[in-house]
């Protein structure tokens, strides 16, 4: 039996079980994809339009069916990891409007406070400093648009709020969407409408369970919509590091009578809408960014020695 997320308890349980996992997955996928698509010696990258947006100081992110916004949180983690100083304008299209209140509570909690009083910076824990840095990258919270992808007659109508947010997005996120709607007869049409609305240079991050069998579907739809696949992991195993305090995890495990999801096997693909300039030389790559890229490239080579990295012509 499927649970309605209109129920606050259901939303809380979903956040507890999946928020950290989904945020970590998005951060890991986009970090690896960026490393695979960037040539460090020349500073050339396939992510050139996204990096231009970051260099300009504002990145627009659109999540389809993102719930509490864990995937947008993953993008914030990616920016922090590489030292990118850009504000994120985040939008979520979801049929459950109640997620907006849940998301607002989560992201406000990132702004380290003690009740209504700000905590002095030198008194913040490392975790509070980290979450505060993420909070500062979010521009005014996440904007929610009540929209149901399973209703193509009303989804992405011209000049609708979700259509305009999608049109402006530099990064589009599809977190476990296809597996949730694959039984719907209009599934392919709905996803095709999303892909066709992507602006030139925008990237799309697809993450879903391996057993869902949706990888072939998204590949076919992306091909027919003229997207270019720039990163692909048929099966990615992710084990979450223990960021949280053990006493917190133990307390919630006791309350919910189950453990949060700490590992996952997913298929991950990153697509790009071709543009007039497929890739170009960036400015100076910082040492922090260079180190993260090289670490990711080393990790990818260990997983798959034949992995092909981007090489500018």
């Amino acid at each position: 039996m499927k649970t309605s997320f209109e129920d606050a308890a259901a939303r809380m349980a979903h956040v507890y079980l999946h928020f950290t996992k989904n945020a970590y997955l998005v951060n890991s996928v986009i970090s690896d994809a960026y490393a695979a698509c960037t040539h460090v010696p020349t500073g050339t990258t396939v992510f050139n339009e996204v990096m231009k947006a970051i260099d300009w100081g504002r990145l627009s992110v659109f999540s389809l069916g993102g719930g509490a916004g864990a995937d947008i949180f993953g993008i914030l983690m990616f920016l922090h990891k590489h030292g990118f100083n850009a504000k994120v304008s985040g939008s979520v299209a979801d049929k459950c409007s109640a997620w907006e209140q849940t998301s607002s509570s989560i992201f406000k909690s990132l702004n380290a406070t003690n009740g209504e009083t700000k905590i002095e910076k030198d008194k913040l824990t490392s975790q509070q400093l980290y979450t505060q840095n993420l909070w500062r990258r979010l521009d005014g919270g996440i904007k929610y648009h009540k929209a149901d992808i399973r209703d193509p007659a009303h989804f992405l109508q011209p000049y609708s709020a979700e259509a305009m947010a999608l049109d402006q997005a530099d990064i589009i996120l599809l977190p476990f969407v296809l597996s949730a709607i694959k039984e719907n007869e209009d599934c392919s049409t709905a996803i095709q409408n999303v892909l066709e609305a992507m602006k030139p240079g925008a990237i799309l991050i697809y993450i879903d369970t391996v057993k869902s069998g949706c990888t072939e579907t998204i590949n076919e739809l992306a091909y027919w919509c003229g997207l270019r696949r720039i990163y692909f992991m048929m099966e990615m195993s992710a084990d979450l590091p223990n960021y949280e305090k053990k006493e917190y995890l133990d307390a919630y495990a006791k309350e919910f009578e189950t453990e949060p999801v700490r590992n996952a096997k997913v298929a991950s693909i990153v697509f790009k809408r071709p543009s007039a300039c497929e890739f170009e030389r960036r400015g100076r790559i910082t040492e922090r960014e260079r180190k993260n890229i090289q670490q990711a490239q080393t990790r990818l080579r260990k997983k798959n020695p034949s992995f092909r990295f981007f090489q500018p012509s």
Side-chain angles (χ1 to χ4, degrees):
M1 183 179 70
K2 292 186 177 180
T3 304
S4 171
F5 286 121
E6 298 294 341
D7 182 353
R11 296 196 303 277
M12 180 58 194
H14 187 273
V15 168
Y16 166 70
L17 290 170
H18 300 293
F19 190 94
T20 305
K21 176 204 70 176
N22 290 354
Y24 181 78
L25 279 173
V26 170
N27 174 38
S28 181
V29 170
I30 191 171
S31 295
D32 286 354
Y34 178 57
C37 295
T38 299
H39 188 249
V40 174
T42 62
T44 311
T45 179
V46 181
F47 277 56
N48 55 306
E49 286 88 356
V50 169
M51 298 315 298
K52 279 183 180 178
I54 290 174
D55 290 341
W56 288 338
R58 183 169 298 276
L59 185 70
S60 179
V61 181
F62 180 86
S63 171
L64 185 59
D71 44 353
I72 294 178
F73 190 93
I75 298 298
L76 298 177
M77 292 170 67
F78 165 74
L79 295 176
H80 174 78
K81 178 179 181 180
H82 289 79
F84 297 142
N85 294 314
K87 287 285 189 179
V88 171
S89 175
S91 299
V92 172
D94 199 290
K95 71 172 185 176
C96 177
S97 59
W99 277 119
E100 183 170 9
Q101 182 179 358
T102 303
S103 173
S104 178
S105 298
I106 292 172
F107 279 86
K108 282 181 179 178
S109 71
L110 300 181
N111 191 19
T113 60
N114 182 9
E116 296 297 322
T117 306
K118 295 280 185 180
I119 303 174
E120 295 296 329
K121 188 173 182 179
D122 60 351
K123 295 181 181 178
L124 294 175
T125 66
S126 58
Q127 291 90 348
Q128 288 173 324
L129 281 171
Y130 177 69
T131 56
Q132 194 174 70
N133 282 329
L134 296 183
W135 162 265
R136 288 171 179 165
R137 285 171 167 77
L138 190 63
D139 186 17
I142 297 176
K143 300 175 182 64
Y144 273 77
H145 311 292
K146 184 175 174 58
D148 189 354
I149 191 174
R150 286 170 288 196
D151 184 13
H154 299 94
F155 181 66
L156 290 182
Q157 288 298 299
Y159 306 109
S160 65
E162 72 271 13
M164 289 190 287
L166 176 58
D167 288 344
Q168 297 169 7
D170 302 297
I171 299 175
I172 297 93
L173 301 156
L174 287 180
F176 305 97
V177 172
L178 258 67
S179 57
I181 68 170
K182 66 179 182 179
E183 302 301 329
N184 188 286
E185 60 181 9
D186 295 320
C187 168
S188 294
T189 300
I191 295 298
Q192 184 175 340
N193 291 339
V194 172
L195 303 187
E196 289 179 342
M198 291 172 59
K199 70 179 182 181
I203 67 171
L204 179 137
I205 300 176
Y206 163 87
I207 300 175
D208 219 319
T209 57
V210 174
K211 63 182 181 181
S212 69
C214 296
T215 304
E216 185 176 349
T217 301
I218 190 67
N219 273 320
E220 289 180 355
L221 289 172
Y223 173 78
W224 290 112
C225 291
L227 269 60
R228 176 188 174 194
R229 191 174 72 189
I230 60 175
Y231 175 82
F232 180 34
M233 274 289 177
M234 186 67 180
E235 183 174 314
M236 169 186 170
S237 297
D239 295 308
L240 272 64
N242 292 316
Y243 290 127
E244 308 93 336
K245 290 185 177 180
K246 186 177 185 301
E247 55 264 34
Y248 293 166
L249 291 176
D250 291 344
Y252 284 117
K254 184 177 180 180
E255 182 176 346
F256 287 100
E257 298 182 349
T258 186
E259 298 285 342
V261 179
R262 306 302 299 181
N263 51 67
K265 285 188 177 181
V266 299
S268 57
I269 314 175
V270 179
F271 300 97
K272 179 182 178 181
R273 165 73 66 191
S275 61
C277 185
E278 280 297 280
F279 54 85
E280 57 188 26
R281 194 182 305 273
R282 284 194 63 209
R284 185 178 65 88
I285 294 180
T286 65
E287 187 59 32
R288 178 174 174 176
E289 183 183 354
R290 183 189 306 274
K291 182 179 178 181
N292 279 292
I293 291 173
Q294 291 174 339
Q295 286 177 344
Q297 290 178 345
T298 300
R299 185 173 61 254
L300 290 170
R301 285 193 186 96
K302 286 183 178 179
K303 289 181 180 178
N304 183 1
S306 61
F307 191 93
R308 295 178 63 187
F309 293 92
F310 166 67
Q311 292 289 337
S313 56

